[in-house]
Amino acid sequence: MALRLWASSAANALRVSTAATASRPAFSLLRSFSTAVEGLKYATSHEWVKHEGSVATVGITDHAQDHLGEVVYVELPDVGKTATQGTGFGSVESVKATSDVNSPISGEIIEINSKLTENPGLINSGPYEDGWMIKVKPSNPSELGSLMDAKQYTKFCEEEDASH
Amino acid sequence: MTACGTRNIGPPLINLVRLKGVPILRQLHLEERLLRTSLDNWCIINDGTDDPTVVMGISGKPVELLEIDSVIRDEIPVIRRFTGGGTVIVDNGTIFVTFICNKDAVPGLQSYPRPIMSWSSLVYRKVFQGIGEFSLRENDYVLGNHKFGGNAQSIIKNRWVHHTSFLWDYEISNMGYLKLPKRAPEYRQARSHLEFMCRMKDYIPRSNFISRTIDAVGSHFLVRSMELEAIMYNSGTKFKPSSRLLRKQELEEAKFDSQTSIAVSQSLQM
């Protein structure tokens, strides 16, 4: 990610496109090699959920953190609030943008990752580990059936990047 | 699909709203409402705002970004906006241009910060063609190596907003309300505000910039002009914007907390 950021800055300074091929739009991202972890479920809006019994842990994927850039601020909800599948529960700030983070599962928010307040970069360095965002008590575990597994999500990301 | 069932292959439609002197907080509320509740694409141009106002990004901390004593003394309004990015001080010399788009509005554009920023630079490259040495430099619009526009974005599930405050002119004294930011682009090279920035008026007349911007937008979209009154009151939507004016008490408390923290830190070192 650091190498691509440098390349992008250099290209901007030289006022040339970062496009890999002549046919790629001038504003498109270079393709990255993001990872998806087995055993997790994934939303098309690039969040993951790990369901363990009565607790579901949620965060954003490696693909998302790579495309967003360095995360400098995280806004999380209060414990006790309700998360709804497909709806925003918080946001991350990166570069000059705030980006909504949507919950892949519905339920009561029972814990938030307070470490992200002082160390938002955990989302970049460990999107599936220390960079988790909220823990939810699922109200409808069958919602997990509508999400992608790791293989499906990887293919989804490849197709999404290829189409832009 | 049209009524005849044939595919519409023209450029996407964008609603153009031209404003003049609208207060920046009102503009931000309008933008956030359109982002969250509209399904259309929008381009908003506000030619100047009223009183000098500080506008911080969503995570901005007043003690780090502002000369708080001066801001409080001179009663400069301070707004925290809904988008990311840094701090600006805006007034009637600032021209605002905002794009609010569906994620599929621009063919081939992924709704992430860098692609959106890069696409926006294509629009403004056209505006400044033959006028100045325009480029996008580490997320800033520059002429040469001088910044003249501050950018910020908000990206939601299916839409995004990219807005810019362009320094057509500015008061040197107003820059004194802003501290040098801790987080600065490398090309700034520790330059002061005055050494780092330039005035757009030294390159292009005000009305020319606006008309050239509208022309450039027209090369990406089919532009439809709309009046503000037509969109201001939509009784069907209940929406509470998050951009807000910080209270004087909040600024004073921030200053007090900072001073307390420094005092405690110093006493611990003794």
Side-chain angles (χ1 to χ4, degrees):
Chain A
M1 188 173 95
L3 181 61
R4 179 143 53 84
L5 283 173
W6 174 86
S8 177
S9 293
N12 283 336
L14 295 170
R15 278 166 281 139
V16 297
S17 167
T18 56
T21 66
S23 61
R24 183 188 288 274
F27 42 74
S28 67
L29 289 167
L30 295 175
R31 293 186 193 184
S32 62
F33 296 95
S34 312
T35 56
V37 172
E38 289 291 337
L40 306 185
K41 298 290 260 182
Y42 299 86
T44 56
S45 49
H46 302 286
E47 293 89 8
W48 58 267
V49 55
K50 184 177 184 181
H51 186 212
E52 297 171 295
S54 60
V55 178
T57 307
V58 172
I60 68 169
T61 66
D62 185 38
H63 179 277
Q65 69 79 21
D66 185 52
H67 282 48
L68 287 172
E70 183 190 356
V71 175
V72 298
Y73 177 73
V74 181
E75 201 160 71
L76 294 174
D78 293 327
V79 170
K81 296 277 187 189
T82 300
T84 305
Q85 188 184 45
T87 303
F89 66 81
S91 64
V92 296
E93 184 183 357
S94 65
V95 194
K96 298 210 173 193
T98 59
S99 298
D100 273 6
V101 184
N102 302 293
S103 185
I105 195 165
S106 304
E108 182 191 349
I109 296 168
I110 57 174
E111 192 178 345
I112 61 172
N113 187 354
S114 54
K115 286 185 186 172
L116 296 179
T117 303
E118 289 301 318
N119 203 345
L122 288 173
I123 288 183
N124 296 116
S125 59
Y128 300 115
E129 302 96 20
D130 292 343
W132 67 272
M133 298 180 75
I134 60 171
K135 291 187 192 282
V136 174
K137 182 179 171 186
S139 57
N140 184 5
S142 66
E143 287 177 336
L144 294 166
S146 65
L147 303 174
M148 294 178 278
D149 63 25
K151 191 174 172 185
Q152 291 167 328
Y153 177 65
T154 300
K155 186 164 182 258
F156 172 78
C157 291
E158 287 170 356
E159 289 172 354
E160 190 178 74
D161 281 346
S163 67
H164 292 89
Chain B
M1 300 290 280
T2 65
C4 300
T6 56
R7 182 173 297 191
N8 183 353
I9 56 172
L13 184 67
I14 196 164
N15 298 320
L16 172 68
V17 182
R18 293 186 64 170
L19 311 172
K20 189 169 175 64
V22 168
I24 183 59
L25 185 60
R26 192 175 175 212
Q27 176 189 330
L28 289 168
H29 285 175
L30 172 65
E31 290 178 8
E32 199 177 356
R33 180 164 71 83
L34 291 175
L35 173 70
R36 297 260 177 204
T37 67
S38 170
L39 298 178
D40 290 347
N41 303 311
W42 299 86
C43 176
I44 299 170
I45 299 177
N46 187 14
D47 187 4
T49 188
D50 47 8
D51 298 326
T53 304
V54 169
V55 186
M56 300 189 303
I58 191 170
S59 62
K61 293 178 182 169
V63 285
E64 291 179 4
L65 299 167
L66 310 179
E67 297 294 350
I68 286 206
D69 287 338
S70 305
V71 167
I72 293 174
R73 179 195 68 211
D74 297 343
E75 298 182 325
I76 304 296
V78 178
I79 288 171
R80 178 174 282 122
R81 65 179 186 264
F82 69 102
T83 52
T87 308
V88 293
I89 181 157
V90 299
D91 57 21
N92 56 16
T94 312
I95 302 174
F96 304 90
V97 181
T98 299
F99 294 97
I100 303 167
C101 292
N102 292 309
K103 71 173 187 178
D104 297 327
V106 178
L109 179 64
Q110 277 192 312
S111 53
Y112 285 110
R114 284 172 292 200
I116 294 169
M117 190 79 71
S118 187
W119 170 81
S120 75
S121 73
L122 299 180
V123 176
Y124 293 110
R125 184 163 298 148
K126 197 170 189 307
V127 174
F128 287 95
Q129 206 164 19
I131 290 174
E133 206 182 317
F134 170 85
S135 67
L136 176 66
R137 195 98 183 255
E138 297 180 57
N139 306 310
D140 291 337
Y141 300 144
V142 299
L143 289 164
N145 71 341
H146 294 96
K147 177 177 176 177
F148 69 97
N151 296 306
Q153 300 167 341
S154 179
I155 302 168
I156 63 174
K157 198 169 177 183
N158 294 310
R159 289 167 67 73
W160 52 263
V161 60
H162 174 92
H163 57 194
T164 309
S165 54
F166 287 99
L167 296 170
W168 189 77
D169 194 6
Y170 60 84
E171 294 288 335
I172 293 173
S173 57
N174 284 346
M175 294 302 153
Y177 294 114
L178 306 181
K179 288 183 175 174
L180 278 180
K182 281 184 188 175
R183 186 178 288 272
E186 277 186 36
Y187 83 97
R188 180 164 185 157
Q189 297 179 325
R191 286 179 282 168
S192 68
H193 293 306
L194 303 182
E195 292 169 327
F196 177 50
M197 298 184 311
C198 66
R199 292 179 171 88
M200 226 164 57
K201 70 183 228 181
D202 294 334
Y203 293 84
I204 184 171
R206 192 160 183 155
S207 56
N208 272 19
F209 169 72
I210 292 174
S211 60
R212 287 175 72 105
T213 295
I214 294 172
D215 286 345
V217 173
S219 65
H220 292 266
F221 296 93
L222 180 62
V223 179
R224 171 173 72 182
S225 288
M226 286 192 80
E227 296 297 321
L228 178 64
E229 288 70 26
I231 55 172
M232 275 309 290
Y233 299 106
N234 186 340
S235 58
T237 55
K238 290 178 186 177
F239 175 73
K240 190 180 173 192
S242 59
S243 300
R244 66 179 188 87
L245 187 67
L246 270 61
R247 288 172 283 117
K248 182 180 175 185
Q249 185 182 358
E250 288 178 274
L251 296 173
E252 287 171 341
E253 285 173 357
K255 176 186 160 188
F256 176 78
D257 289 346
S258 171
Q259 288 172 336
T260 305
S261 175
I262 291 170
V264 167
S265 175
Q266 286 173 341
S267 68
L268 289 173
Q269 287 171 6
M270 289 179 179

